[in-house]
Amino acid sequence: MDIRSTLTELCDAFNAHDLDRIMAFFADDCVLEMPRGSNPWGSRFEGKRNVRDALATRFEGLPDVHYGDGEHFVDAAADTGMSKWILTGTTREGVKKEVRGCDFYTFRDGKVIRKDSYWKIVE
């Protein structure tokens, strides 16, 4: 598996807002951890259906969300990769967002089993 190519394809799928294409990269028992939440790990979603629903809320809340300036890093021996990006978008209320963030991905048998997301807090 070429993790760097997969990270690039994932970023492209996120920018296309194509949930079917995104979820094709994920294993059935995947886990998503989003930055915001009431726990130290943010919000955790387990299983493909729950992960898909959580990602759908990103596209609903930021209909024009885009992940730009992507950089991808790989540790093939650990089946992991990281994507850095700048998220831009506009909320449904018209508030513009721009934030630097990254996703840490863990793979098993060519599929994402964990996506752990972080971003800077802009004040």
Side-chain angles (χ1 to χ4, degrees):
M1 160 183 202
D2 181 350
I3 293 175
R4 188 177 310 277
S5 292
T6 300
L7 295 174
T8 299
E9 291 175 35
L10 267 164
C11 192
D12 291 344
F14 272 94
N15 282 332
H17 300 192
D18 187 338
L19 278 171
D20 290 334
R21 197 164 124 206
I22 293 166
M23 295 313 300
F25 290 98
F26 284 75
D28 289 338
D29 61 343
C30 59
V31 173
L32 169 67
E33 290 183 344
M34 297 294 283
R36 291 186 180 179
S38 58
N39 295 297
W41 54 83
S43 299
R44 181 178 294 146
F45 303 90
E46 298 181 35
K48 205 167 184 174
R49 178 83 252 163
N50 292 328
V51 168
R52 181 188 178 94
D53 291 347
L55 293 175
T57 63
R58 165 61 40 84
F59 299 131
E60 291 166 8
L62 291 169
D64 61 345
V65 67
H66 183 269
Y67 299 85
D69 294 334
E71 297 178 71
H72 308 293
F73 307 90
V74 174
D75 181 348
D79 284 332
T80 61
M82 184 190 75
S83 293
K84 276 177 53 176
W85 33 258
I86 296 178
L87 176 149
T88 56
T90 310
T91 68
R92 293 208 174 272
E93 297 76 34
V95 178
K96 299 255 184 222
K97 299 286 182 180
E98 182 176 17
V99 63
R100 165 67 78 187
C102 62
D103 291 312
F104 289 89
Y105 288 93
T106 305
F107 296 89
R108 181 186 65 228
D109 299 327
K111 295 287 186 178
V112 175
I113 59 170
R114 181 181 213 80
K115 178 182 186 287
D116 193 0
S117 295
Y118 297 84
W119 61 59
K120 300 289 187 181
I121 297 171
V122 178
E123 299 178 316

